[in-house]
Every structure is written in structure tokens, then in C-alpha cells.
Amino acid sequence: MVAYVLYSALAGLALLPLWLYLKNSYFLQDLRYALTGIQIAIRIGRFKRQKPFYSILDCFLDKVAKQPQKKFVLFEESSYTYSQADKESNRVARALSTHVHLREGDTVALFMGNEPHFLWTWLALTKLGCTASLLNCNIRSKSLLHCFSCCDAKVLVAGADLRGAVEEVLPTLREQGIRVFLLGEACDVEGIESLSDKIQQASDEPLSRELRANVNLKSPALYIYTSGTTGLPKAAVINHERMWMASFIQNVAGVRSDDIIYIYLPLYHSAGFLMGLCGAIDKGITVVLRKKFSASSFWNDCRKYNVTVIQYIGEIMRYLCNPPKRDNDRDHKVRLALGNGIRADTWADFLQRFGDICICECYGATEGNIGFVNYTGKIGAIGKEHFLHKMGCPYALIRYDTEREEPVRDSRGFCIKVPRGETGLLVAKIGKRTPFSGYAKNKQQTEKKKLTDVFVKGDAYFNSGDLLRIDSEGFVYFQDRIGDTFRWKGENVATTEVADHLLMVNCIEEANVYGVKVPGHEGRIGMAALKLKDNMDFDSKAAYQHVKNYLPSYARPRFIRIQDTLLLTGTFKQMKVKLAEEGFNPAVIKDPMFYLEENKGYVPMTQQIFNSIAEGTVRL
Ligand SMILES: *[C@@H]1O[C@H](CO)[C@@H](O)[C@H](O)[C@H]1NC(C)=O
Ligand SMILES: CC(=O)N[C@H]1CO[C@H](CO)[C@@H](O)[C@@H]1O
């Protein structure tokens, strides 16, 4: 009898996983995710306790010792092993310390495109215990000076190809006593020193760890600039802990030590640098570096270099799906794509066309203290709720008023959590384990990103600026960036949702939806910039039928603007603010425009229509 009870109890135990699995079909994935999370927490804990603490640079040096001959970087026709990269960076470090006397704690601005020297210089600065400020290599004049001044750097190191841009701001830099170095042969401009000859003369002997003895997990490692939707760029402070956390994404995504990653995203942004490069160092893999994204060379590069892991952001995946299908679309070794911002329809297209690639959609902001990863493979979701994750980084979705652009507060002044299935603003608690380092020299913007007295008096949360939804099974969906939603007739309009509908109209290839202000009306009315498919005209009838059938009247774009190409921001997101400011006046906008006349359909926009709207004789 006793034996029988024991047996059934044991059998029951053995069946427990099956029961859990049947109850929750994501059980195994949840479990794997939890185990990875725990592993990461243990590792971070160990790095913290280690004296001196263990940085990404130490990890790189370990790889150099372990696999000196393994290829680290492939760039155009050159390749560099881990050992070569180490030596190159020793030389840069020595050149900088001899000629500039850089010391632990100093900040140096890097102004360079994607090229191996970017890596050598960053490694060199890290070896000296310095902080690198990663300037966007596309900015010029005033913005360049603004970004430079954000981080208190005394030295600027620029790529050879950016000499023109540097000369433009040189007088101001010289006034401020900044030393300017160019990676290039001798330079005859007064005030610009060549760094290349100094590097060539320097020895490649390793540098002493003593040089960075006081750097710890909380010391700033990098400044990365984030633009946000408006205003000047801000320098997000990335400390060593944050750097480690971001690079662990590759762990969660399942990158293996024999993978080869393709980095074409700019290294001055967090996607390319933290998720791409730092993750690659952690795994000790080979990086294929490319100057910049090119849809036409993308797959050829993947074939040429045997790439197995790619990254994406924003509209990149759509760009890859746009060109006509080719026979060799599936001839590649790519097995994993990681990034964020893919739309559900593109996601499905991409898989169908390029084969069985595991897409790991993640969510996170450069300066944020929270992230999600789609560890289950649910199409469209950016992640899934997990109690361990929530315990580690407490977050909530709260009710948001898009009109007043602030969270809704209850009678006691606290924020209100939205029920499951409803869209809300993601906020993440700022605490010891989930700090928010803010922006360099910008207290005002740092404070602006913080929300206080959220659920209890005195608490503080990071305001992500993103609207998310969590469904009944716990899947997390990205809905909108604040600003990507506008309000019309008291209703919220989600621009991505409207765009998804427009894309179902046959003639439309790309759609960018935004809200424009109309004199005498509250809120913003819908407008869409469209790119049409090759050799197709705007089919006003089909477009009207579709929006009428699928969208409530307040969400239908009242104005349509046809463009040859839709502009993107530096992070491959659609440009909305500028278009919204341009409005819908045909006297200003030269692109063909259409106006949705009530109960009639899209008609060509005229000055007369504009005038009647502006004068208020036509109410929208
Ligand atoms: C890619 O892989 C093939 C076969 O596995 C090999 O012959 C080739 O040399 C590899 N190419 C590079 C650039 O490593
Ligand atoms: C890490 C991971 O499991 N990612 C999944 C994300 O979703 C795609 C879509 O199907 C899956 O293929 C991936 O496996």
C-alpha cells in the first residue's frame, strides 16, 4: 500500500512537467528563458564582486589569450584576428597616452564611421580607462558642436574621411582648447594633428591594468546619443553594467561561439555597438563590419562572409523584402536575426521569402532600464511577461492621455495601471538593480524622463515613451511611440495601425501616417505620405473603399501626399515630425496631394479646398 502511494506520487511528479506543459504550451520556453536569466544574473554578480571588476575589455583580452588566431573583424577585403586587433589597439592607446597624456576618467569624442579603426580606438580608450563619446558621423556644424559639448571631452578623434566636417567646426574647437586628431596621413591644416603616424611609431606591447584600476561597474563607459522625436540629441550615459546587460541579448537569443555576425548598423548607436559588437566580444565570435546598410549588397555580403547572424531595426526588414524576388533568396547561412521594430506583416513576408530564420525581436531603449525579448517566437510580439523578469525589473503599463500628453492620475494623484489587453505607457521602476543613468550634463532632460509618485509617494519610474499592450497570455506587443499616436475627435489614432491598412491597397508600397493640425480644430487630423509601387498610379477608388471598410471615420487619412521616397531618420524610423509641420497646403507642398471628401472619396487637393478649410467654411 505504502509502496503504491509512493509510486503514484513519483509517477505524478514525473508527469508534472507534462501537466505544466499542457497547461501552458510555452512552459519549456519560459523555463529556458528563466534559466538564461538566472545565468546572466549570476554572471553579473560575479563581475561585480571580482576585484578589479571584469569589463567587456577584460572579456576581449581573455578571448585574445584563448583564441588569438580567430578572426575578429572582416571589413571589405581585410581581416584581423583577435590578436591583431589587440595589438592595433595597444598602439593607438600608446600613441594617445604619449601625445595627449590621456588618463583614467578622461573623455574622448570619436567621430568615425564604421571601420576597423573605430574598434581599435574604442579598445584603446578603454585600455586607458577613458570614456568614449560616440558622435554620429552624419552630423555637421552646429549639431556636431552641440553633441561634442555634451560630454566634456577635451580631445576629438576623427576618421580620415570626415576631415571636411572637422575643418568646418575647427575654429570653435580651437577656441575651446580642444585637441583634434585625424586618422589619416599628415595633415597640413593648423590645429589638426595626424594620429596615424603616431600610431605607426608606437609599440604594440600590452598596457598595464593599473591604468584603469579605478574603473568600476558604475563608471561611464560610453556616451551614446539619442535623438528622441524632438529637440537636440542627448548623450545617454552607458556605464559598464549597462554595457554588459545589453550585450547579453545575444545570450538570450541563442548566439553560438561559431556564429558570424554582420554589423552594418552604425557603431555610434546602441543597436550596432552594444547589442552587436559588445555581444560579439562576449561570445568571442567573428564580426563582419560594413560601412553602411545597402539592400542590394546585403545578401551578397551574407554569402561572401558566411554570415549566420544579422541585426535589424526599424524599416530595414521591409527594405530587404522590397526588391523583386530572386532565385538565390534562400541561398545563405543566416539563421538568426535580432533587432526591433519589425511589423507583423513584414515578419511573415521575410520568413516566407528568405527561409527559416529565427527572428528575435527585442525591445529596449539606449538609456532605458527595461527590455523585452520575444523568446517564444510568437509573430508580432516583442516579448512575454515572466515573473522572474518582472521581479528583477518591476514595470507597469499605465493609462496615458495622448491629448494632454501625460499619464492619467487618480484622485489621490497616482497613476492607474491599465487592465490586460489595454494599451498603456510602459514605465519601469528606477532602483538599485535597474538604475537610470540619464543624460550627460542635461539634468533637465534626465528629470523629464523620470516619473515620480507613480504608485506610492516618492517612487521613481523611467518613462519609456512607448505604448505597449499585454494580452491575456502575457504576450507583450509594441503599439506606438508617444507621438506616433495622435488624437482626433477625441479618439486616439495609432499611426502604425492606419499604415498597416493602407499597405493592403494594391498600389501602395510604403505608408507613413501622421497627424496634422487644422486651424480651428482640436487635435490633429490624419494624413499619410505614400510611396507607390513602380509604374502605378494612386488608385483613389481602391484606397477609399479600403479605408472606408476598415477604418473608423476619425482614423481615415483625410489627406494623402505622394512621394518618390519616404524619408527615414538616422535610426531607420519614419520621419513624422517634419512632415506634420509641413502640413497640407498645396502652395507649400509640391508633391501630388489628395483630399478625402466626405461620402465621395479621394479627390486631387486644390488651393481652393485648402482655403475653405483654413477659413472654416468646410468643417472636417
Ligand atoms: C565560407 O564557407 C565556405 C564553406 O564552408 C568556405 O569554403 C569559405 O572559405 C568560407 N568563406 C569565408 C569568407 O570564410
Ligand atoms: C529567441 C527566439 O526564440 N526568438 C523567436 C522570436 O520569434 C520568431 C518568429 O517566429 C522565432 O522564429 C524565434 O525563434
Side-chain angles (χ1 to χ4, degrees), residues 83-108:
S83 159
Q84 283 169 324
D86 182 39
K87 290 191 170 141
E88 290 291 340
S89 60
N90 287 344
R91 272 215 268 253
V92 181
R94 285 178 185 278
L96 286 171
S97 76
T98 316
H99 294 276
V100 201
H101 309 294
L102 285 180
R103 280 213 317 247
E104 197 173 12
D106 288 341
T107 300
V108 173

Side-chain angles (χ1 to χ4, degrees), residues 480-534:
D480 246 316
R481 189 117 250 245
I482 285 175
D484 285 359
T485 308
F486 58 86
R487 238 168 128 79
W488 180 244
K489 305 237 153 131
E491 301 278 356
N492 284 338
V493 182
T495 57
T496 44
E497 207 177 303
V498 176
D500 285 343
H501 275 292
L502 290 171
L503 290 173
M504 288 181 212
V505 180
N506 190 29
C507 61
I508 300 175
E509 180 161 307
E510 288 177 55
N512 182 6
V513 176
Y514 49 95
V516 286
K517 284 213 174 315
V518 187
H521 289 76
E522 283 287 309
R524 290 166 178 271
I525 197 165
M527 180 157 182
L530 304 178
K531 178 178 185 284
L532 302 176
K533 290 189 182 144
D534 285 345

Side-chain angles (χ1 to χ4, degrees), residues 224-243:
I224 292 186
Y225 292 81
T226 66
S227 48
T229 41
T230 48
L232 289 163
K234 305 172 287 252
V237 185
I238 311 292
N239 62 24
H240 288 274
E241 181 172 29
R242 182 84 181 78
M243 203 150 154

Side-chain angles (χ1 to χ4, degrees), residues 252-253 347 351 357-361 374-379:
V252 180
W347 190 319
L351 292 181
I357 297 174
C358 166
I359 296 187
C360 180
E361 170 80 5
N374 105 300
Y375 60 91
T376 51
K378 176 107 168 171
I379 290 195

